[in-house]
Amino acid sequence: MELITIADKESDILSVENKQLLYRPKLQRVLNNLPAFSPILNRLLASLASEDVRFSELASLIEKDTVLSGHVLRLVNSAAMARRSRINSISHAVSVLGIVRLRNFLLSLSIARLWQSTRTQTPWSMAKFNLHGAAVALMADLLAQHCDCSYPEGAFLAGLLHDYGKLLIAAALPEQFLEILKLSSEEESSLIDCERKVTGFTHAELSAMTLKAWNLPEDIVRGVEFHHQPEEEAALLATPVKGILLGRLIFIADVIAHHLGLHVLPAEGPAQPSRANALAALEMFGFHAVAPKLLEQFDTEYDAIRAFF
């Protein structure tokens, strides 16, 4: 897998370009050390490219993976699913969970497996990283179900992977990662501004470059790249696109997750999580009619999945 070259900013072009050249090999090394995609993950990613995926085939693949089989059965029999009788077969579990919930659950676990052996240092928390990704993914998917979204089938995966660049920086450039945190604290600047100042990259750019290297759909790549500047995604397109773009959807889901206290690094979140602020934010972003319902649905889905991270 190779990272593509991103466009240099006109301002500070020399320092940015030099930093990118300096740090790119280390970032690439972490990416190259990821294990190969599992058959299940390959089939799930293929489904995003509109290829036919039979869930009977997925059930067969799950049955061959002892760990995933156990997780799927644990999920379907969990309190969050409110089942009265125990389910013991994967095929039955697949039919009960449904296509969307099963796809999202398998994507979450399969993606987390990719970097479970990636080495990082404090204050990075892989558990918080996975939980934040799952939270943004779940919220983005719920938002897509309640609005006119330009690419709703990609909302969950875009949310799941939107911050992968942060992991790349933390794993490949640990000294620079700590420098970014220190700079952000001292200057009270955003992490994304400090990332570019220190490394020449932002985590959003690194995330997008990785997803492009993985041949994911352009809508997902672009949405991840612009999840901190959703207005720039719209300006980039030659012709208007019907519905809310993924970049804006991920931006909203990210804001809600932060209000709920589900963030990767302490500097990113509010001093105190606030469900009331999360509800107010949903209303402000135009989801006032369904805001309470969205949070209730989110609670159910998040409670079901968080035990696996």
Side-chain angles (χ1 to χ4, degrees), residues 262-285:
L262 303 171
H263 43 264
V264 182
L265 300 165
E268 297 177 298
Q272 292 293 332
S274 172
R275 189 176 181 84
N277 288 343
L279 189 64
L282 281 171
E283 293 173 349
M284 180 187 70
F285 287 124

Side-chain angles (χ1 to χ4, degrees), residues 4-296:
I4 64 167
T5 302
I6 64 172
D8 295 311
K9 301 292 184 183
E10 292 183 359
S11 62
D12 201 27
I13 186 169
L14 290 178
S15 62
V16 168
E17 185 178 67
N18 288 339
K19 289 172 182 175
Q20 290 177 351
L21 289 173
L22 176 64
Y23 296 129
R24 186 185 299 273
K26 293 182 179 180
L27 294 162
Q28 185 69 55
R29 196 173 302 123
V30 170
L31 184 63
N32 289 343
N33 286 337
L34 292 178
F37 288 171
S38 68
I40 288 177
L41 183 54
N42 274 322
R43 295 302 293 137
L44 290 168
L45 295 180
S47 72
L48 296 168
S50 299
E51 294 184 20
D52 180 43
V53 175
R54 294 184 178 88
F55 275 78
S56 58
E57 177 187 349
L58 280 181
S60 177
L61 288 172
I62 295 168
E63 288 174 337
K64 296 175 183 177
D65 188 315
T66 304
V67 175
L68 274 186
S69 293
H71 286 331
V72 169
L73 291 175
R74 179 181 165 196
L75 173 67
V76 77
N77 289 305
S78 67
M81 297 296 103
R83 298 291 304 172
R84 293 184 178 179
S85 58
R86 183 169 183 80
I87 293 174
N88 296 309
S89 75
I90 294 298
S91 58
H92 190 186
V94 169
S95 66
V96 169
L97 290 172
I99 290 177
V100 173
R101 181 177 277 144
L102 178 66
R103 181 203 66 186
N104 292 349
F105 181 67
L106 292 177
L107 278 172
S108 299
L109 292 187
S110 298
I111 292 293
R113 274 183 166 189
L114 288 178
W115 45 69
Q116 64 184 359
S117 61
T118 302
R119 298 181 62 183
T120 57
Q121 63 182 27
T122 306
W124 183 267
S125 167
M126 196 66 78
K128 287 185 177 180
F129 173 71
N130 285 326
L131 285 171
H132 173 70
V136 174
L138 288 168
M139 180 54 70
D141 194 54
L142 289 171
L143 292 172
Q145 296 172 35
H146 290 88
C147 71
D148 186 8
C149 178
S150 63
Y151 191 65
E153 60 268 41
F156 188 90
L157 188 59
L160 194 64
L161 295 170
H162 75 288
D163 271 353
Y164 177 61
K166 288 180 183 175
L167 174 57
L168 273 180
I169 294 173
L173 308 171
E175 293 181 4
Q176 288 70 33
F177 172 64
L178 294 177
E179 184 181 349
I180 289 166
L181 298 182
K182 183 172 181 289
L183 187 64
S184 176
S185 176
E186 291 177 348
E187 298 187 359
E188 296 185 353
S189 300
S190 68
L191 283 173
I192 199 165
D193 288 338
C194 294
E195 287 167 352
R196 177 169 289 282
K197 187 172 182 179
V198 172
T199 71
F201 294 102
T202 70
H203 72 269
E205 291 168 338
L206 290 172
S207 299
M209 292 189 315
T210 300
L211 302 194
K212 187 163 187 177
W214 289 348
N215 296 315
L216 293 186
E218 178 59 29
D219 293 79
I220 293 177
V221 175
R222 193 179 60 244
V224 165
E225 182 175 3
F226 291 101
H227 75 270
H228 281 287
Q229 296 93 20
E231 67 285 348
E232 292 187 16
E233 181 185 10
L236 181 71
L237 299 176
T239 56
V241 175
K242 182 182 178 182
I244 297 177
L245 294 170
L246 278 186
R248 180 163 180 77
L249 209 68
I250 302 308
F251 171 78
I252 296 172
D254 199 28
V255 169
I256 303 306
H258 286 165
H259 279 309
L260 294 174
L262 303 171
H263 43 264
V264 182
L265 300 165
E268 297 177 298
Q272 292 293 332
S274 172
R275 189 176 181 84
N277 288 343
L279 189 64
L282 281 171
E283 293 173 349
M284 180 187 70
F285 287 124
F287 293 90
H288 51 277
V290 293
K293 179 182 177 182
L294 275 173
L295 283 185
E296 289 177 8

